[in-house]
Amino acid sequence: DVVLTQTPPTLSATIGQSVSISCRSSQSLLDSDGDTYLNWLLQRPGQSPQLLIYSVSNLESGVPNRFSGSGSETDFTLKISGVEAEDLGVYYCMQATHAPWTFGGGTKLELK
Amino acid sequence: QVKLQQSGAELVKPGASVKLSCKTSGYTFSTSYMSWFKQIPGQSIEWIGMIYAGDGGTGYNQKFKGKATLTVDTSSSTAYMDLSSLTTEDSAVYFCARDDRRWFAYWGQGTLVTVSS
């Protein structure tokens, strides 16, 4: 199975600060169809996961544009340009290129 | 709007089975895919498998073969997951999510399954 390693496991930020989360894959996530199925989700406490970014860099409808995704092959990054209070929770990267789909261990974003 | 409404929390005894439901509305269920996920509180998320509502075709994570069985009822736009031979390791929150070309924009609220004697 593909292993996704997220760093850091915990991130402390102040409101307005810009932060980045890294997701590294144990193998390339470039699919034979040319797409790269790397998604980013946010899970707020007690809630279901929420899709933020799909296929590396595509912003899901309704998600604020302070969120952005980048990367290729095995190295990916989620950036939040100006953290807001509603952004707190656990961020997960998830790959759906190689079955079974797998998730990273999560990055908890906390207020400093 | 798209909604996925999951069934309520379950308390079940070891060795028993349980059937979870995910009732959908707001889109054409019969031509869609649904995935199911497991999350032990405080831990990351695992993908269990997926089902295509059009023909009931399934794909499973090898880890959950024999544990989970996915089915659909297109007449009620509902997806189901049967979990069998439950142990304490199956205690978790289970989510359904609409599978849109391998991204998951719509999730159910989750069903907590507690396995305890």
Side-chain angles (χ1 to χ4, degrees):
Chain A
D1 297 358
V2 173
V3 175
L4 298 179
T5 303
Q6 284 184 239
T7 54
T10 305
L11 198 46
S12 294
T14 57
I15 300 300
Q17 182 181 352
S18 291
V19 298
S20 292
I21 299 170
S22 170
C23 177
R24 290 191 168 171
S25 174
S26 61
Q27 54 186 282
S28 174
L29 298 183
L30 177 62
D31 194 77
S32 57
D33 67 5
D35 206 339
T36 299
Y37 296 100
L38 188 284
N39 306 322
W40 290 95
L41 303 99
L42 164 62
Q43 189 173 33
R44 299 184 177 92
Q47 295 190 16
S48 306
Q50 174 195 358
L51 181 66
L52 300 174
I53 302 281
Y54 63 92
S55 295
V56 180
S57 59
N58 295 279
L59 194 66
E60 170 62 10
S61 175
V63 174
N65 61 11
R66 63 180 178 274
F67 292 94
S68 62
S70 63
S72 63
E73 302 276 359
T74 60
D75 287 333
F76 304 92
T77 301
L78 175 72
K79 182 176 181 180
I80 311 173
S81 300
V83 168
E84 298 194 5
E86 65 182 17
D87 300 338
L88 305 184
V90 180
Y91 290 81
Y92 293 100
C93 57
M94 174 210 173
Q95 69 82 23
T97 295
H98 304 287
W101 316 152
T102 53
F103 289 75
T107 295
K108 186 175 184 180
L109 179 59
E110 302 175 326
L111 270 182
K112 188 181 292 183
Chain B
Q1 70 278 33
V2 175
K3 288 187 178 180
L4 281 65
Q5 181 68 39
Q6 295 188 238
S7 48
E10 300 273 2
L11 173 61
V12 293
K13 294 190 184 309
S17 298
V18 69
K19 188 170 188 172
L20 310 184
S21 65
C22 174
K23 183 168 177 57
T24 73
S25 60
Y27 69 99
T28 304
F29 178 77
S30 60
T31 57
S32 68
Y33 292 84
M34 186 75 74
S35 274
W36 289 83
F37 300 85
K38 174 185 180 181
Q39 185 176 38
I40 296 172
Q43 297 188 19
S44 186
I45 304 168
E46 295 180 279
W47 177 73
I48 296 171
M50 71 168 92
I51 186 166
Y52 177 56
D55 61 8
T58 55
Y60 291 95
N61 183 340
Q62 185 69 30
K63 177 178 178 180
F64 293 95
K65 281 188 175 178
K67 171 62 64 179
T69 302
L70 305 183
T71 56
V72 294
D73 177 359
T74 53
S75 68
S76 63
S77 300
T78 303
Y80 297 94
M81 179 170 67
D82 272 291
L83 297 170
S84 63
S85 303
L86 291 165
T87 72
T88 55
E89 294 184 353
D90 299 315
S91 294
V93 178
Y94 293 86
F95 295 99
C96 59
R98 194 177 82 176
D99 189 336
D100 293 312
R101 197 172 174 264
R102 300 190 241 175
W103 63 78
F104 305 90
Y106 299 98
W107 293 70
Q109 82 277 21
T111 295
L112 175 64
V113 174
T114 304
V115 183
S116 174
S117 54

